[in-house]
Amino acid sequence: MREAWVHVGRLWTNGDPFLAVDASLRGAWRGFSDDQYDDIVEIGQEVTSIAVGSGRAVLVGADGVVRDDSWMEVFQAEDGGIAVVQASGPDYPRVVNEALHYPDTDDEVGDPLIVSSGELALFSAACDGAGPYAASLVPARPGPGPLEYGRPSNEDDPGLLITTTYTTFGFKVRWYTLLDEENCFARWLLTPVRTF
């Protein structure tokens, strides 16, 4: 696993899955206004992506076993990798750190993600990708990781917009993982696929 992860944002979920999709396609997702969200709420964990316009989005989050209402921490690595971690436990920063460095050899391999536009959008599947029922997207900003779990804001929770130079990502999922009696996590990894 990578060593140099940088925290770039956090997403609040009420148990809803998030989509990670090429930002140029997000307007084709109408999770709220056309009830596209209903297409994914009943699918099993073996389904890792869904059609969005002319492309596909991968499904991130919604491991209700870790927590229903929860933060999902988003990290980016120097090599272009992106990790989303949902963690629970009394020593929150330690659990997040262990989740980032936990081996990925036994993770579930999901569908690849194509990001041709250079921007990856992460937002709740319960919203539209654009328009009046869309969540706003804030740019990913490198900074220190959270020192505590913390409370959600009282405002609408935005999604993230991540700039990337890579066009193809492999996708791996590690569902509920127990570290000890009090600490657990789930993790979603996007790993750049280098083409030569």
Side-chain angles (χ1 to χ4, degrees):
M1 288 297 299
R2 300 165 185 81
E3 295 299 320
W5 288 107
V6 175
H7 190 258
V8 295
R10 57 190 343 206
L11 304 164
W12 180 258
T13 176
N14 293 319
D16 294 327
F18 274 59
L19 299 181
V21 67
D22 185 321
S24 68
L25 300 173
R26 71 185 175 106
W29 180 255
R30 299 177 57 83
F32 179 83
S33 57
D34 286 350
D35 296 323
Q36 285 183 310
Y37 176 72
D38 294 340
D39 296 341
I40 61 175
V41 287
E42 297 300 326
I43 60 177
Q45 292 180 344
E46 68 280 355
V47 178
T48 59
S49 71
I50 191 165
V52 176
S54 61
R56 295 194 73 77
V58 295
L59 299 170
V60 174
D63 184 299
V65 179
V66 173
R67 294 181 87 127
D68 283 328
D69 296 346
S70 175
W71 287 113
M72 294 189 303
E73 309 296 347
V74 183
F75 295 84
Q76 198 165 16
E78 286 182 6
D79 69 358
I82 297 167
V84 180
V85 172
Q86 188 178 31
S88 180
D91 189 351
Y92 188 70
R94 179 182 70 83
V95 179
V96 170
N97 186 58
E98 288 195 32
L100 287 170
H101 297 98
Y102 202 88
D104 66 357
T105 50
D106 295 329
D107 289 13
E108 176 184 328
V109 177
D111 296 324
L113 177 66
I114 307 298
V115 182
S116 302
S117 72
E119 289 187 310
L120 173 72
L122 269 166
F123 60 93
S124 172
C127 299
D128 288 350
Y133 303 110
S136 61
L137 299 182
V138 297
R141 289 196 172 92
L147 297 177
E148 61 183 7
Y149 178 75
R151 299 172 54 94
S153 69
N154 293 326
E155 303 172 8
D156 290 336
D157 296 300
L160 277 178
L161 194 61
I162 300 173
T163 301
T164 178
T165 58
Y166 297 97
T167 57
T168 305
F169 289 85
F171 184 50
K172 284 188 166 185
V173 180
R174 172 166 284 280
W175 296 107
Y176 178 77
T177 301
L178 193 61
L179 294 172
D180 54 46
E181 291 182 359
E182 295 183 299
N183 299 287
C184 63
F185 73 90
R187 179 186 65 198
W188 296 265
L189 287 176
L190 288 162
T191 304
V193 176
R194 286 159 180 78
T195 54
F196 299 97

